[in-house]
Amino acid sequence: MYHLSTTTALKFEEVKKSFSGRVAVNGITLEVRVGEIVALLGPNGSGKTTSLRMAVGLMKPDSGRVTVFGEPAGSEKAKRSVGYLPEDAGLYDRLTGWENLLFYAMVLFGINKKARETAELGAKLSGLGKDIHRPAGVMSKGMKRRVALARTLMIGAPLLLLDEPTSGLDVFSAVEVRNTVKEYSIRTGAAVVISSHNMLEVERLCDRVVLMHHGKIVEQGKPREIIEKYGAGDLEEAFVEIIKRR
Amino acid sequence: MLPLLSLPMLGLVTLAVYKTQPLSFAIVDGDNSNLSKTVLSTLSQYISLAAQSSGQKASISIEGSLSIALKSFGLDYVIYIPPGFGENYSSLERVAYLEGYKRADSARADAAQSVFYNAVNYLSYFLSTQRTELLLHYANISAPVEAILNPVEVVQSFYVSGGAPAPPNAEELSYTARMLAFALFFVTTPALTYMVDSIMGEKERKTIESLLSLPISKKSLLGGKIIASSAIGIIAGAADVLGVIIYFYLISAAYGSGTVFLSPGLIAVHSFDVALTAFATCAIVSPLIISARSSRGANTTAASVTGLAMVIFFLALFADISRLPPYIYYPLLLVPYTNGIMVLINYVQGSYYLFVLHLFLLLVESVALYIVAFKLFKEESLLLPFSEEKQSSL
């Protein structure tokens, strides 16, 4: 468990971002608390990935403020608190899964014992056993995704930002990834923000759902509350209903 | 690394071909006088001698007629002694003409012509000596023939900038410095290739986003990429430079032209020059690659920098850059490559003040380019370079 001075892991305050005149994020305000698992839902182009990238500091907001544990997003201190899994997280194909983990650990901690221990933890988190020593280029998509997730989790960040972590994975791989994330959150007390299209995943995994549309937050709450509010059978039906009304 | 193997191989093949393929002459005596027969024999000896002195072999055949000789396969040069040659040769009042037929489609004809002209010079000098001795005898004058035939001679000395006598091997060092300056071009290509791959490769492998999310500063990330690419550029470039040196050494041996001479100081200066050239190349190209919208754009950018490097390094081979007009010279100094060349040239010329000045300019420009690259380094540019991705990833 983390002993942090603030209970707010991530905060967006009136954040706007546009590209070449096209609005991607249009004044969102959002707070994610420590220990909470929050899902960002929304159609393609609704601003989910841009929001996550701003939280990591890879993109700067045009206006508004993004903070991570009170620090400006993108600052070295804020980045040290973030574990980020991009939607298309690639690996170095010529390196083995283990070497990929070790490379990132070395970039973070230098060539020392801590880097090796971190990579060993990553190898354990991946659950790939001996397969972690296979070249990434010959790994299946599911195996690659597990290495990429392990790479994100191994540093022990108190805030995880996962962009469609189970996208393109088969049912078994997706379940394993979800379990790994859930266990990590429970074990460490980390806040987790997941961008996803998988309603079942969101319903089972997340404490809160934030629905984005055209760069705005159009609904948020616990999955069960949203389903009941819109008189839907499940989250997917509620989602379609909300988008229709907009 | 390819030039390390291919260039010496090319030099060896050139040397082998040059040494083993004789210059092929045919001489036709159209005069058939006793004197022309003597001249034919003397001329043959002079041709062999002239060929030997330039490290070549000559093959000489005697043909019966000009038409047969011209139809013969494999000749480079045909020499015809026309009717009346003997009479003119022995006269004090007339010029004795020899006719030369150079095969226009022979790669060796130029060398054959050069050897023939040298042989004719020997022959002409021999005849001039005889005619002068005869005239002195008729005029009853006693004077050295040399003083009449060569009344003006040149005594050649070498000096360096500042007027001091040139140290031993100064000429060879200067030639080598120009070769080394040209060879710097071979450092730029691998450095550019690795720099493009280290940035665009990360994007293509989709590892860039994870890498950028790590708590490492832009300075460290870009500096690491530039230093790594420079290091690879230096290793690959050094091998290529070695290949170029061996090539020029072999070519020098083949043609008997300038000789390559390396001193420990020149090697040290060149090594430093190679390192800074690789670093400057990476610094020049990195902001351009970062802002490139596609792999093709990045490669085109790299090719443009290669083109710039090629132009400047070729200048080192054929021009004295410091004596170019000021409106060309000073703008050229804004390019680090020019200072890289001037460092080497001034070092071998012993102009240590200019050597230090250009070294300083090279260093300042390299660091300035790195700072510009760092300032222009924007994560967003790397995440959204391709317009087609821009729409889908929002």
Side-chain angles (χ1 to χ4, degrees), chain A residues 58-133:
Chain A
L58 299 176
M59 288 179 174
K60 303 270 177 261
D62 296 337
S63 64
R65 191 161 174 257
V66 186
T67 52
V68 174
F69 293 105
E71 300 291 335
S75 65
E76 200 180 326
K77 216 169 173 183
K79 275 187 167 181
R80 289 209 172 273
S81 307
V82 175
Y84 176 52
L85 178 70
E87 184 184 352
D88 275 333
L91 301 176
Y92 298 101
D93 282 350
R94 288 188 185 179
L95 302 183
T96 63
W98 160 255
E99 287 164 345
N100 269 279
L101 296 175
L102 190 59
F103 169 72
Y104 270 78
M106 281 177 171
V107 171
L108 278 171
F109 305 116
I111 304 167
N112 54 32
K113 198 179 166 192
K114 190 177 180 189
R116 202 166 183 83
E117 285 170 357
T118 305
E120 279 165 5
L121 174 66
K124 200 175 160 190
L125 285 167
S126 74
L128 288 176
K130 284 183 181 173
D131 283 339
I132 194 72
H133 296 291

Side-chain angles (χ1 to χ4, degrees), chain A residues 53 79 84 90 92 151, chain B residues 202 206 209-210 212 380 391:
Chain A
R53 282 175 171 172
K79 275 187 167 181
Y84 176 52
Y92 298 101
R151 189 176 65 189
Chain B
E202 292 277 6
K206 300 182 189 303
E209 203 167 346
S210 300
L212 290 172
E380 285 192 32
Q391 299 304 318

Side-chain angles (χ1 to χ4, degrees), chain B residues 177-199:
Chain B
R178 287 203 305 277
M179 294 300 117
L180 289 176
F182 166 69
L184 285 174
F185 170 68
F186 292 94
V187 177
T188 60
T189 314
L192 279 169
T193 306
Y194 283 101
M195 196 64 210
V196 170
D197 182 65
S198 75
I199 294 178

Side-chain angles (χ1 to χ4, degrees), chain A residues 17 19-20 22 45 49-50 53 56 58-60 79-80 84 86 88-90 92 104 107-108 151, chain B residues 202 205-217 225 379-380 383-384 390-394:
Chain A
K17 178 73 181 172
F19 301 100
S20 312
R22 189 191 162 191
T49 296
T50 303
R53 282 175 171 172
V56 185
L58 299 176
M59 288 179 174
K60 303 270 177 261
K79 275 187 167 181
R80 289 209 172 273
Y84 176 52
D88 275 333
Y92 298 101
Y104 270 78
V107 171
L108 278 171
R151 189 176 65 189
Chain B
E202 292 277 6
R205 286 187 291 268
K206 300 182 189 303
T207 46
I208 190 76
E209 203 167 346
S210 300
L211 201 59
L212 290 172
S213 72
L214 295 175
I216 45 175
S217 67
K225 294 244 170 244
E379 287 97 338
E380 285 192 32
L383 292 178
L384 296 171
K390 202 168 178 175
Q391 299 304 318
S392 62
S393 62
L394 297 178

Side-chain angles (χ1 to χ4, degrees), chain B residues 99-163:
Chain B
E99 292 175 18
Y101 294 85
K102 179 181 172 183
R103 215 182 93 198
D105 56 353
S106 163
R108 302 282 280 149
D110 276 342
Q113 185 189 29
S114 170
V115 163
F116 170 60
Y117 278 24
N118 282 339
V120 170
N121 279 340
Y122 293 147
L123 187 66
S124 189
Y125 185 79
F126 172 71
L127 185 57
S128 303
T129 307
Q130 283 189 329
R131 286 184 178 187
T132 308
E133 281 173 351
L134 193 61
L135 285 170
L136 288 171
H137 175 72
Y138 287 152
N140 203 17
I141 297 170
S142 176
V145 175
E146 272 296 314
I148 296 166
L149 289 179
N150 295 312
V152 179
E153 286 276 9
V154 176
V155 179
Q156 181 69 55
S157 296
F158 293 98
Y159 75 104
V160 292
S161 304

Side-chain angles (χ1 to χ4, degrees), chain A residues 28-212:
Chain A
I28 63 167
T29 296
L30 176 69
E31 199 172 323
V32 179
R33 291 179 296 278
V34 170
E36 195 179 19
I37 302 182
V38 175
L40 285 183
L41 285 179
N44 288 334
S46 59
K48 304 186 297 294
T49 296
T50 303
S51 301
L52 290 183
R53 282 175 171 172
M54 285 193 289
V56 185
L58 299 176
M59 288 179 174
K60 303 270 177 261
D62 296 337
S63 64
R65 191 161 174 257
V66 186
T67 52
V68 174
F69 293 105
E71 300 291 335
S75 65
E76 200 180 326
K77 216 169 173 183
K79 275 187 167 181
R80 289 209 172 273
S81 307
V82 175
Y84 176 52
L85 178 70
E87 184 184 352
D88 275 333
L91 301 176
Y92 298 101
D93 282 350
R94 288 188 185 179
L95 302 183
T96 63
W98 160 255
E99 287 164 345
N100 269 279
L101 296 175
L102 190 59
F103 169 72
Y104 270 78
M106 281 177 171
V107 171
L108 278 171
F109 305 116
I111 304 167
N112 54 32
K113 198 179 166 192
K114 190 177 180 189
R116 202 166 183 83
E117 285 170 357
T118 305
E120 279 165 5
L121 174 66
K124 200 175 160 190
L125 285 167
S126 74
L128 288 176
K130 284 183 181 173
D131 283 339
I132 194 72
H133 296 291
R134 289 174 65 183
V138 300
M139 285 182 173
S140 68
K141 193 173 179 182
M143 290 166 82
K144 280 184 181 178
R145 198 67 178 155
R146 281 158 69 178
V147 174
L149 181 66
R151 189 176 65 189
T152 310
L153 301 182
M154 70 183 184
I155 57 174
L159 172 63
L160 288 186
L161 302 171
L162 311 176
D163 197 355
E164 301 192 25
T166 57
S167 166
L169 296 186
D170 61 51
V171 176
F172 296 103
S173 301
V175 167
E176 281 178 7
V177 165
R178 277 199 291 273
N179 289 342
T180 307
V181 172
K182 188 81 182 172
E183 280 167 22
Y184 180 88
S185 173
I186 293 168
R187 181 166 51 84
T188 65
V192 182
V193 180
I194 296 178
S195 155
S196 181
H197 289 293
N198 188 332
M199 303 297 158
L200 188 67
E201 172 176 283
V202 168
E203 222 175 311
R204 288 185 179 174
L205 188 64
C206 301
D207 305 315
R208 186 155 57 104
V209 172
V210 174
L211 183 61
M212 292 184 73

